[in-house]
Amino acid sequence: MASNFSIKHQPGFTAIAATCFVVLYLPIIVLVAYAFNAASSTSEWGGFSLRWFQSAYQNTQVIDATLRSFQIGAIAAVLSTIFATMAALATTRTAPYPGLTFKYAAINQPLMVPEIVTGVALLIFFSRIKIFTGYSGLGYLIAAHTAFCIPFAYLPIRARLENMDLTLERAAADLYATPWKTFRRITLPLLWPGILAGLMLAFVISLDDVVITEFVKSGGQDTLPTYMLGQIRRGVTPEINAISTAFLLLSVAIVTLFFFVSRKRD
Amino acid sequence: MASAEEVAKAAERRDVRDRWLLSAPALLVILLAATGPLLIVLVYSFLTPGAYGDVKWQFSPDAWISVFMERDIFDDTLSVAVAHVTIFWRSIKLAVVTTLATLALGFPTAYFMATRSEKTRDLWLFLITIPFWTNLLIRTFAVLQIIRNEGIINTILLKLGIISAPIQILYTDTAILIGMAYVYLPLMVLPIYASMEKLDFRLVEAGYDLYATRFKVLRKIIFPLVKPGVIAGSILVFIPALGAYVTPVVLGGGKNMMLSNLIELQFGQGRNWPLGSALSITVMVIVMLALLAYVRNAGRSGVRHG
Amino acid sequence: MNWKTMATAMGLALLASTGLARAEGVLNIYNWGNYTSPDVIKKFEDKYKIKVSITDYDSNDTALAKVRQGGTGFDIAVPSQTYVPIWIKEGLLLETDPGKMENFKNVAPEWANPEFDPGRKYSVPWAWGTIGVVVNTDAYKGPADTWGIVFNTPDELKGKVNVVPEMNDVIFAAIKYVGGQQCTDDKAVLKKVRDLLVAAKPNWIAMEYNTIEKMGAGDFKATSDWNGSALRQRLANAAIHYNYPKEGFGLWSDNVVVLKEAKNVENAKLFQNFIMDPENAAGLSAFHRYANAITGSDKYMPADMKDAPEVVIPADAKPKGEFQKMCAPETQELYTKIWTELQK
């Protein structure tokens, strides 16, 4: 107490973290700045203008693609996080049992394949189903995204679980709490940071995906990345910056709002 | 006594059954929309390329031979596939360096986040993910704006008179490295944060009581405790980095292929799907072996420390 | 932030992203990205009360692979002429017989009966162009009507040349430069090609598609490129010139076809006919910046395209242009090997 000795302090860590945040946000600032660029290239500054917001607003293709990205991302992230949490509960804090190694391998498998390979494999497989059932909706993209998001959601949740011992849960069980109640009241709150990290990762990974989506998508199912991929050959316009900026601001606004609302309630 | 044993056995059986049920949805989705279809790729690797893409249903080991060996198109000699080895090696090297770079940046950042007050931690978590609510292509283009010759870094350095001509960062392996470290950073930070957030600082305190230095506390107490997170993060960065497709093309200038580009070439303009399939399986095997070795190694040393 | 607020946030995101209502008639177009004029589409939608949806692809091979597997839900695609025969041969196309359509009379005679689709049984011209060399004359003033800019780079341009990484286009140019025939499998010629490419590569700064921006901003001082892309670059920077290599340059065209599995065949046919109208064809050109094959479209063309040197091939260069063909699979395999060696 006499000196300011903090047990949590590690020399240089705060500086590195600060650098990290600056580095993370620098490109985003540039991205946002160029959204207000009057020039039609993403590389030279032509003065302040809102023209790209206007033109993005009128470009239904890019707006649809952006919304679709968020839609698929949100659904796939939630589904994969739920499945990953269940799988993590089933594969941690236990003595080895038959099939455990198989489960590890199976769950992590989507990670180990370059995207292009999964893309081609899914193209062949889903096409058969599309022809057979006549259904060619967003379900395929959601299924594919959920599948490759599971390992991303699973790893942080599992890492968190491995650091949790069973004492509290055993105590709850001793007090005749039902397994569900124990899960809701004890396990879930303790596991929450892991789940949140998993959910975020899954969402981000789904938003990023280009190659698998490119191969799986049917008519009218462009996401923002596949739309951009199609544009690269012929020049990307600052419309992309504008639409990204709009959605960044929107998500930041929503997140901030909920953050303050939930803090006030606490 | 025997009945008690039976009860215990039954409970264990039930436990295993429950665990299978719990993992069933994840396994099912992966089987249907990821692993199962890969069997097609395995089968394709043993077929003959179709004339204009796809395959002919005719057995051929050629794809597998040409993964490792190449027949010189001019003097017809058979030798080790130097081009493939070079591309594999470059990809592995870049993926390893990217993993180390993100670990060096990500570990302190996760530590910083985990040591904030409980209420602000979620805020930091969101702060670190928000840049990633834009997709990978956009982020890569944003990095390009910063490191290009007319970009911010070069402009500032020029204005300050530190350099007299722009440094060519774009279109080098360094550019790929910077780009990959940037886009994959949250994949490292989040898992480490998730396991660090639970860190029991009484153990750290105990360490200081025993006159350990800060570095020793970090190395002997904190690091072993968050090891599962570090392992998870490393895996999440290493594998996507190994299969990176967009970043090398946009920032590396596409002059030198990476694994994904090589595989894509076979499925695209090269029209050799069997070779593409065989190369993919080779990558999968390498990744699995690396993963096994890594997890074994890390697991063992974890036990020693813990 | 707890799970309830998270769920609400997710719910809001979902709510914001619910799809748009579908109109009665629909048409699903599968086309290269950033290639379809929104104005022309709007006009088509208004005229026929059809809702058009556009989905992008970025390479002929991806498009072919997807359509061949089937179940895509697309009605129309726009493959390049090298690929059209494959699409026909593989039975992917519907014989809509555009040659008998009302607006077919507008198709320029030299485009009415092409080798890749004799009698225009399947396809309607969308755009055509050339592949040449673009040079920023501020950086290099010498003669630039040669592939030598790329393959034997003059000192002023060393380390500033980009090559658009279309394997077949690059090999085509290299074969022309060493004096061979396109699609050659002559080992002596290919050895020269390989050595030429490997020796040239250290002088290149990059091999990428994003030339419009990079040439405009000055990252590149020269590049191999498509003519429409060169036009856009010149409009951004007057010092940029497009050149027709004297060793021979490639001609290409993209063509609108209707898929056999199309669900909206009548709408697709309407579209094929619609874009052969001169005014509409000019509208498409105004957006994608390439020439169309429709006579009478000139008077609707934007002023900056009418006499543009990128669009109108000069008389002396014309005989050097050559339609690119699809090479035999065995030849393609040789090219892939050379390409892999180049990019290893």
Side-chain angles (χ1 to χ4, degrees):
Chain A
M1 265 312 184
S3 70
N4 276 329
F5 187 86
S6 156
I7 57 159
K8 292 187 174 174
H9 179 76
Q10 281 292 339
F13 272 30
T14 308
I16 295 178
T19 318
C20 211
F21 278 99
V22 170
V23 168
L24 279 179
Y25 276 86
L26 196 62
I28 301 303
I29 293 166
V30 172
L31 169 88
V32 171
Y34 275 100
F36 297 97
N37 187 3
S40 48
S41 129
T42 47
S43 58
E44 51 189 321
W45 182 250
F48 180 88
S49 148
L50 289 175
R51 69 181 268 217
W52 295 111
F53 284 91
Q54 208 173 359
S55 93
Y57 179 72
Q58 283 160 353
N59 186 342
T60 47
Q61 214 190 339
V62 75
I63 291 197
D64 284 353
T66 312
L67 292 175
R68 202 169 290 115
S69 278
F70 271 75
Q71 190 181 6
I72 295 170
I75 298 175
V78 171
L79 286 180
S80 58
T81 309
I82 294 173
F83 295 164
T85 309
M86 291 163 67
L89 287 168
T91 50
T92 45
R93 308 192 294 180
T94 172
Y97 62 90
L100 186 61
T101 323
F102 163 77
K103 283 184 190 172
Y104 283 149
I107 289 169
N108 286 318
Q109 187 278 333
L111 271 177
M112 288 177 216
V113 199
E115 270 195 77
I116 173 86
V117 182
T118 316
V120 171
L122 285 181
L123 167 67
I124 297 165
F125 180 60
F126 282 167
S127 293
R128 301 284 179 280
I129 303 179
K130 283 178 189 173
I131 295 169
F132 186 72
T133 60
Y135 168 76
S136 59
L138 276 184
Y140 300 101
L141 278 177
I142 291 172
H145 279 233
T146 306
F148 69 70
C149 284
I150 286 176
F152 286 93
Y154 172 80
L155 276 167
I157 298 173
R158 185 186 149 193
R160 176 84 184 180
L161 263 174
E162 276 182 349
N163 285 350
M164 283 165 48
D165 57 34
L166 280 163
T167 331
L168 282 172
E169 278 123 317
R170 289 222 176 91
D174 288 347
L175 295 169
Y176 300 104
T178 60
W180 172 245
K181 211 166 192 178
T182 312
F183 175 73
R184 272 284 286 117
R185 296 287 171 80
I186 312 274
T187 319
L188 192 62
L190 284 172
L191 193 54
W192 189 243
I195 295 180
L196 204 57
L199 186 75
M200 288 288 137
L201 269 181
F203 184 58
V204 163
I205 289 297
S206 167
L207 281 191
D208 280 353
D209 181 73
V210 198
V211 182
I212 293 177
T213 312
E214 180 71 18
F215 279 100
V216 172
K217 74 182 183 192
S218 302
Q221 293 183 350
D222 264 322
T223 60
L224 194 59
T226 64
Y227 174 79
M228 282 184 72
L229 186 72
Q231 291 221 315
I232 288 183
R233 277 188 197 217
R234 310 185 23 86
V236 182
T237 64
E239 252 179 40
I240 297 289
N241 295 45
I243 193 115
S244 310
T245 301
F247 275 88
L248 262 180
L249 292 180
L250 190 70
S251 12
V252 172
I254 293 177
V255 166
T256 321
L257 191 72
F258 278 96
F259 184 73
F260 281 110
V261 168
S262 65
R263 277 189 98 182
K264 222 171 236 166
R265 233 192 3 233
D266 288 343
Chain B
M1 268 301 128
S3 77
E5 203 173 282
E6 264 165 38
V7 169
K9 263 215 173 119
E12 199 190 303
R13 265 202 303 277
R14 215 170 30 241
D15 181 57
V16 169
R17 192 201 60 199
D18 287 352
R19 284 172 185 276
W20 273 102
L21 281 178
L22 264 181
S23 36
L27 294 175
L28 202 68
V29 172
I30 287 173
L31 183 72
L32 279 178
T35 313
L38 283 179
L39 291 176
I40 301 172
V41 175
L42 183 65
V43 174
Y44 273 26
S45 70
F46 289 102
L47 297 175
T48 313
Y52 301 104
D54 216 332
V55 291
K56 266 204 293 261
W57 285 87
Q58 199 171 54
F59 173 81
S60 157
D62 287 358
W64 279 103
I65 295 173
S66 49
V67 168
F68 304 104
M69 306 295 279
E70 66 189 354
R71 188 172 291 283
D72 193 289
I73 56 175
F74 302 116
D75 56 22
D76 236 20
T77 52
L78 202 62
S79 60
V80 176
V82 182
H84 291 172
V85 173
T86 317
I87 293 167
F88 270 75
W89 177 236
R90 176 184 308 113
S91 299
I92 292 172
K93 209 169 54 186
L94 271 170
V96 169
V97 180
T98 304
T99 311
L100 292 177
T102 50
L103 183 61
L105 276 174
F107 189 89
T109 308
Y111 185 85
F112 171 83
M113 289 163 64
T115 49
R116 296 308 96 189
S117 79
E118 209 156 305
K119 282 198 172 156
T120 47
R121 272 180 221 168
D122 286 343
L123 178 68
W124 287 106
L125 188 60
F126 274 108
L127 274 179
I128 204 130
T129 21
I130 280 171
F132 298 89
W133 287 42
T134 55
N135 73 58
L136 184 118
L137 268 167
I138 301 177
R139 271 178 281 141
T140 312
F141 275 106
V143 172
L144 182 141
Q145 298 300 353
I146 289 179
I147 61 175
R148 71 196 297 178
N149 288 5
E150 300 79 19
I152 294 179
I153 293 182
N154 273 314
T155 311
I156 293 177
L157 289 178
L158 279 171
K159 284 246 165 77
L160 292 177
I162 296 172
I163 51 172
S164 55
I167 317 167
Q168 182 73 46
I169 309 172
L170 194 60
Y171 306 131
T172 62
D173 281 359
T174 315
I176 302 180
L177 181 66
I178 293 174
M180 292 208 297
Y182 180 70
V183 295
Y184 296 129
L185 190 59
L187 304 186
M188 182 64 87
V189 174
L190 292 181
I192 299 183
Y193 167 77
S195 66
M196 187 131 34
E197 206 259 0
K198 238 199 109 259
L199 192 69
D200 187 347
F201 275 93
R202 282 171 305 182
L203 291 172
V204 175
E205 206 171 355
Y208 286 125
D209 288 347
L210 295 169
Y211 300 105
T213 60
R214 290 200 188 271
F215 183 65
K216 209 161 195 181
V217 166
L218 179 69
R219 206 163 57 88
K220 295 275 175 157
I221 300 175
I222 301 176
F223 196 75
L225 284 173
V226 299
K227 204 153 208 171
V230 173
I231 293 175
S234 307
I235 294 171
L236 287 185
V237 171
F238 177 75
I239 301 175
L242 190 65
Y245 175 76
V246 170
T247 319
V249 171
V250 174
L251 298 178
K255 270 171 75 181
N256 295 319
M257 275 195 253
M258 301 267 281
L259 270 173
S260 271
N261 311 117
L262 177 66
I263 292 171
E264 202 265 350
L265 175 67
Q266 313 307 329
F267 284 110
Q269 298 184 67
R271 297 190 201 112
N272 193 340
W273 288 28
L275 178 56
S277 304
L279 283 168
S280 313
I281 291 166
T282 313
V283 175
M284 275 168 64
V285 171
I286 290 178
V287 170
M288 255 185 273
L289 289 178
L291 215 58
L292 264 178
Y294 180 69
V295 172
R296 274 237 176 106
N297 222 343
R300 208 181 298 130
S301 59
V303 170
R304 210 184 301 134
H305 284 290
Chain C
M1 182 81 39
N2 57 30
W3 72 275
K4 269 181 200 150
T5 42
M6 259 329 286
T8 323
M10 285 292 178
L12 274 184
L14 278 183
L15 205 67
S17 64
T18 40
L20 297 159
R22 286 261 154 129
E24 195 61 39
V26 291
L27 179 64
N28 274 311
I29 298 178
Y30 192 34
N31 198 354
W32 300 82
N34 202 5
Y35 205 30
T36 319
S37 161
D39 297 336
V40 176
I41 291 298
K42 179 99 194 5
K43 197 173 155 195
F44 178 77
E45 286 183 323
D46 291 346
K47 183 167 179 188
Y48 296 105
K49 304 283 170 264
I50 289 168
K51 168 93 182 98
V52 176
S53 123
I54 297 164
T55 312
D56 296 345
Y57 57 82
D58 78 320
S59 82
N60 271 308
D61 293 288
T62 309
L64 175 62
K66 285 199 67 159
V67 171
R68 178 154 46 196
Q69 295 304 326
T72 54
F74 300 121
D75 301 311
I76 274 181
V78 192
S80 302
Q81 94 275 353
T82 41
Y83 284 74
V84 171
I86 303 174
W87 289 61
I88 296 174
K89 206 156 58 189
E90 305 253 324
L92 303 173
L93 301 185
L94 190 73
E95 201 176 317
T96 53
D97 221 347
K100 296 209 174 69
M101 286 180 184
E102 188 197 339
N103 282 336
F104 189 76
K105 58 180 190 292
N106 300 320
V107 174
E110 66 266 36
W111 292 100
N113 189 21
E115 201 182 322
F116 57 84
D117 179 13
R120 287 274 180 199
K121 294 271 178 218
Y122 301 90
S123 67
V124 161
W126 172 269
W128 67 272
T130 55
I131 304 161
V133 174
V134 191
V135 171
N136 185 329
T137 51
D138 286 342
Y140 176 72
K141 305 232 181 315
D145 59 339
T146 168
W147 287 116
I149 298 287
V150 173
F151 299 127
N152 193 5
T153 310
D155 286 341
E156 297 97 309
L157 290 174
K158 278 189 176 146
K160 292 164 188 158
V161 180
N162 175 65
V163 173
V164 171
E166 278 293 318
M167 177 172 97
N168 291 317
D169 295 352
V170 176
I171 304 256
F172 175 96
I175 291 175
K176 288 285 158 197
Y177 189 68
V178 300
Q181 293 297 315
Q182 73 161 311
C183 286
T184 184
D185 57 359
D186 181 336
K187 292 277 170 72
V189 174
L190 289 183
K191 198 167 169 56
K192 273 194 230 160
V193 165
R194 197 258 324 251
D195 296 344
L196 179 74
L197 288 171
V198 170
K201 190 183 160 191
N203 295 325
W204 303 343
I205 182 169
M207 296 172 78
E208 68 163 38
Y209 289 104
N210 197 3
T211 55
I212 298 179
E213 195 202 318
K214 301 277 172 60
M215 279 298 286
D219 297 68
F220 306 154
K221 300 296 184 196
T223 181
S224 69
D225 214 339
W226 292 288
N227 58 323
S229 167
L231 171 66
R232 291 193 190 181
Q233 293 162 28
R234 177 173 57 81
L235 293 178
N237 179 350
I240 294 175
H241 279 236
Y242 182 67
N243 305 281
Y244 297 90
K246 56 177 188 259
E247 299 88 4
F249 58 89
L251 280 163
W252 58 266
S253 72
D254 290 337
N255 300 272
V256 176
V257 295
V258 179
L259 305 188
K260 195 165 252 170
E261 63 171 12
K263 292 203 176 76
N264 307 295
V265 174
E266 289 314 309
N267 298 349
K269 284 185 185 166
L270 284 176
F271 188 76
Q272 279 192 320
N273 188 50
F274 182 78
I275 60 161
M276 290 189 285
D277 173 81
E279 198 178 340
N280 299 335
L284 293 177
S285 286
F287 182 82
H288 60 50
R289 291 294 187 178
Y290 290 97
N292 58 66
I294 305 298
T295 31
S297 66
D298 298 18
K299 59 174 181 279
Y300 304 105
M301 288 288 253
D304 58 9
M305 281 183 76
K306 268 182 183 154
D307 309 303
E310 295 86 358
V311 179
V312 185
I313 307 177
D316 57 329
K318 219 165 197 168
K320 302 285 183 192
E322 193 177 323
F323 256 110
Q324 279 180 233
K325 293 193 196 95
M326 174 66 72
C327 306
E330 305 76 46
T331 317
Q332 194 75 14
E333 200 186 326
L334 297 176
Y335 293 0
T336 310
K337 281 189 175 160
I338 294 177
W339 192 252
T340 310
E341 202 173 323
L342 175 68
Q343 286 199 310
K344 77 179 179 202

